[in-house]
Amino acid sequence: MTISQIINDFKKNNPGADTTMIRLAYDFAVKAHAGQKRKSGEPYIQHCLHTAFTLVQIKADLETIIAGLLHDIPEDTEFTLADIEKNFGKETASLVEGITKLSKIKYRGIERYRESLRKMFLAMAQDLRVILIKFADRLHNLRTLEYLPLEKRQRIARETLEIYAPVAGLLGVWRLKLQMEDICFKYLYQEDYKKLAYKYEVEKKLEHNQYIQKVKNLLGAKLREAKIPFKITSRFKNLYSIYLKLRKKERKFDEIYDVFALRIIVPDIADCYKALGIIHALWRPNPGRFKDYIAVPKPNGYKALHTTVYGPGGKPAEFQIRTKEMDDGAKYGIAAHWFYKLDGGRGKNAHRQPAWVKEILNIQKETENTSDFIKQIEFDVFNDRIFVFTPKGDVFDLPEGSTPIDFAYYVHSDVGNQAISALVNDKIAPLDVELKNGDLVEIITDKKRKGPNRDWLKFIKTATARNKIKQNLRRSVLDNIRRFIPRIK
Ligand code: MN
């Protein structure tokens, strides 16, 4: 890897950009890491270059790439953060500082995971770019894992699979998530990996390619007939996600046809729905698998139409229909959007802070110990989301397993506080029933009701509902005190 490759690729995404600072950062890193070698025997600067290169690939901005080149300097060389600030400015220095803080984790075992996850979310709340650099750094470390002792190799692979990859998915940086997962899969489940890689890359590939070609031909003809300009691409799912599918559903490989996705890129949103209509007219859809992420984007901003149909020969095929803009967003996630700096709602990009980052910060405020914090995040953010509708047609996305009371508090505190019963799909349902994707939920309220029921805390699932119920219980205790002792202030 050379610095010219990085500069050239960066210029492709940013024509006319001044890349002098990238070159200077490289020169500085070469000087700082002079004589140092990686475990692989390569000069240390290669690690800095690979980190920066990955950042260019996910379309990160100039400061992020510079910080990628400099990221190991304060910790591993005689130069300090102050030297970086003096030469490259405050912004770059604060990114490098964020990375340095993240890497100082002294815990062992499960505590280590928890602590690194917690730190990662805190860094994220300050500046999402720090996480991007951390991902790029980790990816190169994974690629050179073979040079580490077995125990360390497995620890890093496990930590990546449990923490880094899910967070990358959450942020929508799919490109990095998929690459990290397959490398970790290879190191952690060697035998399974070998078997699956053989099946997938040797035995089944031809059969799948023929099937995909057939689907493309049939659909292409219809789209041309309808005069919709389009591009169809197909992507095989990564080995690790196929492995998870096989394990979860205990299905044999032969039965799995959704190991690939066909992606259709069309000019605008209206064309997305038209293309969907054409696909559903060609092949019978599986209604449980249709998702409209255009009308209701995922919490991380992901937009597309997803549908699975029984394609040629009755074999399932999954389609993802999007515009070009949505496609870029899906590939690069937060790196493609420009909502980096999240300075507590004051910055000019603060309005782009995704809702779940706020959720995480709320959870962080309310939970004292780390393990509760992790549990709540896993539930509220990592868990699969369901979409629930109000009678007026508004949509709320909630974590799977949520109840009508969770829903009520998402709608409004008053709706939660005054809830007495619920209608789910027009039928009376208990307040603790588990809601399903697509449910229509109406909360029956009683204006005279003073506040939440303490027993709700036993079954509600979301931190949002929990925090609001606790606040209101506290308040009603205070109200009672005031009522009984009215003159004391
Ligand atoms: Mn590094």
Side-chain angles (χ1 to χ4, degrees), residues 47 71-72 137:
H47 171 65
H71 79 273
D72 276 329
D137 170 52

Side-chain angles (χ1 to χ4, degrees), residues 369-387:
N369 77 45
T370 318
S371 89
D372 286 352
F373 172 66
I374 303 302
K375 257 190 240 145
Q376 201 61 57
I377 283 189
E378 275 168 355
F379 190 82
D380 275 15
V381 188
F382 280 104
N383 239 16
D384 280 339
R385 314 284 290 195
I386 53 166
F387 295 122

Side-chain angles (χ1 to χ4, degrees), residues 41 69 105 120 123 142 159 171 234 284 291 322 328 343 359 383 387 399 411 426 453 484:
L69 286 166
I105 293 164
M120 205 178 317
L142 289 173
E159 186 186 51
L171 295 175
S234 52
R284 190 165 59 85
K291 299 223 170 84
R322 353 169 140 146
D328 280 346
D343 49 359
E359 257 171 67
N383 239 16
F387 295 122
V411 175
D426 295 327
N453 185 334
F484 288 116

Side-chain angles (χ1 to χ4, degrees), residues 38 44 47 51 71-72 76 137 141:
R38 297 275 293 176
Y44 200 96
H47 171 65
T51 302
H71 79 273
D72 276 329
D76 294 340
D137 170 52
N141 287 338

Side-chain angles (χ1 to χ4, degrees), residues 21-35:
M21 290 309 274
I22 297 184
R23 174 75 62 178
L24 290 174
Y26 169 72
D27 293 340
F28 190 77
V30 168
K31 193 168 96 186
H33 291 291

Side-chain angles (χ1 to χ4, degrees), residues 24 46 106 165 198 203 240 247 253 348 365 378 427 446 451 480:
L24 290 174
Q46 281 301 318
K106 293 188 198 81
Y198 181 78
E203 284 184 355
Y240 184 64
R247 242 182 22 177
F253 186 82
K348 62 178 180 335
K365 264 185 238 148
E378 275 168 355
K427 288 197 192 80
D446 177 358
N480 275 336

Side-chain angles (χ1 to χ4, degrees), residues 176-235:
L176 298 189
K177 174 189 156 80
L178 301 180
Q179 290 178 47
M180 289 196 274
E181 279 181 351
D182 273 359
I183 300 174
C184 298
F185 178 34
K186 189 170 97 186
Y187 282 104
L188 290 175
Y189 308 98
Q190 227 158 29
E191 285 306 307
D192 291 323
Y193 176 85
K194 265 192 227 150
K195 258 189 261 167
L196 207 56
Y198 181 78
K199 266 230 125 98
Y200 187 57
E201 266 141 27
V202 185
E203 284 184 355
K204 288 279 164 189
K205 198 139 202 170
L206 184 68
E207 192 188 323
H208 281 137
N209 281 341
Q210 286 169 343
Y211 177 78
I212 287 172
Q213 203 47 53
K214 209 184 272 175
V215 172
K216 276 186 186 170
N217 290 343
L218 286 166
L219 180 60
K222 291 284 179 197
L223 286 170
R224 267 186 292 275
E225 234 172 71
K227 298 201 164 53
I228 300 173
F230 66 93
K231 212 176 102 192
I232 304 182
T233 59
S234 52
R235 178 182 70 82

